[in-house]
Amino acid sequence: MILASFIEHHPHFTLHNLPYGIFSTPTKSARAGMAIGNHIIDLSKLFELHFFDGLIDHNVFQQQTLNAYIALGQHTHLTVRQKIQQLLTTESTFFQQHHTAFLFQQGEAKMHVPVQIGDYTDFYSSEEHAANVGKMFRPNAEPLLPNWKHMPIAYHGRSSSIITTNTNIKRPHGQILKGEDVVFSASQTLDIEIELGYIIGKENPLGTPVNIDAADSYIFGAVLLNDFSARDIQRWEYQPLGPFLGKNFATSISPWIVPYDALKDFLTDAPNQTQEVLPYLQEQNRKNFDIEITFEIETKDKQKSTVAVTNAKYLYWTAAQQIAHHTINGCNLRIGDLIGTGTISGKEKSSFGSLLELTWNGKEKIKIGKEERTFLQDGDTTILSAVCKIDDKQIGFGEVRNTIIE
Ligand code: CA
């Protein structure tokens, strides 16, 4: 139990979670912090107070990204977690004397993209999502393409436009096919994709694939990921090379990285695979994270509805399979790389992970308060949040909120 009663309970930011983020306050620039309750622990300040003496020898927390800290490795990350848990649960003169210097209210902080993301890869790992897209756009063919159950399909995304919560998104313009005419227009079918993102915490040398049994150890932690998508731009441009301008204008991630050490208690059995895969993709135990993700829309005049609730445990391809496949040709992952799972859809309509599926390509309207939507309108705010629960243990990802502007 947390000793300081002024740290109010927050259902996401419990003692078991201790996620990492980069924050700034009105009088001090961006540095590393950890969320607890409604507060942030300033890790850079703790370093200055010699809290990490003997463990970390230079102030990696006084940087605008977590990459240098992540590079210190799993033993250090685990020890830091244990020391912080001890700090919050054991009476000490250190806490009494210094807490006003290293604790900040979350409400007074601005959150930043927490890592320098070198490369961003987006997979397509949900069978239900891939099948829904197939049914919509290839109604007379098999929903899944022949390669889909043999390997996790992916494309390389763009990292320069990765943003975090409270960043507005300007509606993209581009080439769109309208009837028989090619026109230049604002996207009329702006969509979201509910995804989970993995932050890579360890590097494999160029030319050396990651073995699937060791793949989980390459995950530093996870974030929520909203892969904004302009469906009309995407539909006209994607053949034959795949997503480009319909995707690379904004990808939003949640500001707190939930560490693997907190997430591993929420592993659950992944779905059985119905096609035998090559040995490099075979797993002894197929596990997914049991993370319930909620998607809400809030309109300009503050009407708000839950639009979908899905779960990362539905994914057909696991994180380990994604990493093993990504590196099987010798491709090297680097610290801070972002791996998206792809849109996560469940079997029920209420668990579909995009407006494309929820409205069946704009044919069926959804209700937001008293308003109706097919795709996003200017002034709409998208909100992703997520929780993991098992017995009396609970953690969460906080929120990632973004507003569409003209
Ligand atoms: Ca995607």
Side-chain angles (χ1 to χ4, degrees), residues 229-240:
S229 303
R231 300 297 179 198
D232 38 14
I233 295 173
Q234 184 184 2
R235 195 161 307 140
W236 173 230
E237 73 176 1
Y238 86 101
Q239 287 171 323

Side-chain angles (χ1 to χ4, degrees), residues 83-103:
K83 281 180 73 76
I84 298 289
Q85 279 167 342
Q86 197 176 23
L87 174 70
L88 294 166
T89 53
T90 316
E91 235 166 288
S92 67
T93 49
F94 181 89
F95 188 92
Q96 291 302 334
Q97 281 174 6
H98 299 299
H99 70 80
T100 53
F102 66 76
L103 279 174

Side-chain angles (χ1 to χ4, degrees), residues 120 122-124 129 155 193 195 225 227 229 231 247 340-343:
Y120 157 46
D122 200 15
F123 276 89
Y124 196 51
H129 170 68
Y155 72 98
E193 291 188 341
E195 304 192 20
L225 191 158
D227 179 20
S229 303
R231 300 297 179 198
K247 291 283 190 177
T341 57
T343 311

